[in-house]
Amino acid sequence: MRAPPAVVAAFLGLAVGLTAGEGRAQCVDDELKQELVGGRHYRGVQERLFTKAFRHELSAMGGLYAADLYSSNWLVGGAYTFHFSEDLGLEASVQFTRFRSAVTDAYERRYPDIQVLDRPDKPGTLYFGHLVWSFAYGKLRWLGDGISRFDFNLALGAGVTDDSTSRGVTASGGIGSKLYFGKWFAVRFDVRDHVLREVLVGDEHLVNDILVTLGASVFFPFGG
């Protein structure tokens, strides 16, 4: 028994419609897949905003020297860092300050007949070397436009505090952060703790001096 021509035509139309729908769905699926794969590929090969490995860093810094035995005073200096990788760098620094104690001034004002012979009012120079480990990274978007990279680092080292009252080697450790702009410029913030022995008015003391600095760095070569 043959089916009526109208039924056959309806069946063929339905089959063609389903086939076309499946084709359109497959095209949509393929386009979505390509978009997702392309997005993942773009994120995977995106160029780093700032690289440090095998680059040289020159820094200028200034801040506050808060000493245990002396009054807080200004601090200025500079540093050179060679970065072995994105995470590790070796830093050498020199910084200048002035050591002055308000305690001896108050003592002499209270007892005017007694004068402190070794007056703690003298310049000081700090020579240090640190191993710097960058342990955390992040990115910062500026008002939805540019992106800057930043990191947090730990520093551990030792050096010499040249102020004629310190004794032996000064141990140093601290934490810092750098905010990177472009491919060769960064702003840095550091807090370091210096542990040393100092002699004041004939007595020897083990002290912790805190250094807080803000500075700027230039990286070579400029191209990253």
Side-chain angles (χ1 to χ4, degrees), residues 65-144:
Y65 190 108
D68 267 359
L69 296 183
Y70 298 97
S71 303
S72 298
N73 216 330
W74 52 265
L75 178 74
V76 295
Y80 162 76
T81 307
F82 178 73
H83 296 273
F84 299 101
S85 67
E86 293 298 317
D87 301 326
L88 290 177
L90 189 61
E91 176 190 272
S93 65
V94 57
Q95 295 171 310
F96 307 93
T97 186
R98 191 166 190 88
F99 292 92
R100 179 181 178 85
S101 176
V103 175
T104 56
D105 294 340
Y107 187 86
E108 289 183 342
R109 287 194 300 269
R110 184 173 182 180
Y111 304 100
D113 295 335
I114 301 178
Q115 298 293 320
V116 179
L117 296 180
D118 186 16
R119 296 191 59 82
D121 184 6
K122 59 194 71 178
T125 308
L126 316 176
Y127 305 95
F128 278 82
H130 289 91
L131 180 65
V132 182
W133 172 44
S134 300
F135 64 90
Y137 294 88
K139 294 178 182 179
L140 179 64
R141 181 179 293 274
W142 299 93
L143 299 177

Side-chain angles (χ1 to χ4, degrees), residues 2-3 11 14 23 42 51-52 59-61 78 84-85 92 105 108-109 114 119 129 167-168 175 183 186 193 214:
R2 297 183 58 184
F11 178 79
L14 179 62
Y42 174 77
T51 58
K52 294 185 296 182
S59 304
M61 300 170 289
F84 299 101
S85 67
D105 294 340
E108 289 183 342
R109 287 194 300 269
I114 301 178
R119 296 191 59 82
R167 298 291 183 269
I175 190 169
K183 292 183 176 293
D193 181 15
L214 180 67

Side-chain angles (χ1 to χ4, degrees), residues 138-206:
K139 294 178 182 179
L140 179 64
R141 181 179 293 274
W142 299 93
L143 299 177
D145 187 12
I147 297 177
S148 296
R149 181 183 172 208
F150 66 90
D151 67 24
F152 294 98
N153 62 76
L154 293 175
L156 183 64
V160 175
T161 301
D162 183 11
D163 68 339
S164 76
T165 64
S166 64
R167 298 291 183 269
V169 176
T170 301
S172 175
I175 190 169
S177 179
K178 291 189 176 105
L179 179 61
Y180 302 93
F181 298 92
K183 292 183 176 293
W184 56 270
F185 182 75
V187 174
R188 60 182 291 172
F189 174 76
D190 298 278
V191 179
R192 303 279 170 89
D193 181 15
H194 288 185
V195 181
L196 67 154
R197 291 189 177 274
E198 288 185 325
V199 177
L200 182 62
V201 196
D203 294 330
E204 185 173 301
H205 306 267
L206 181 65

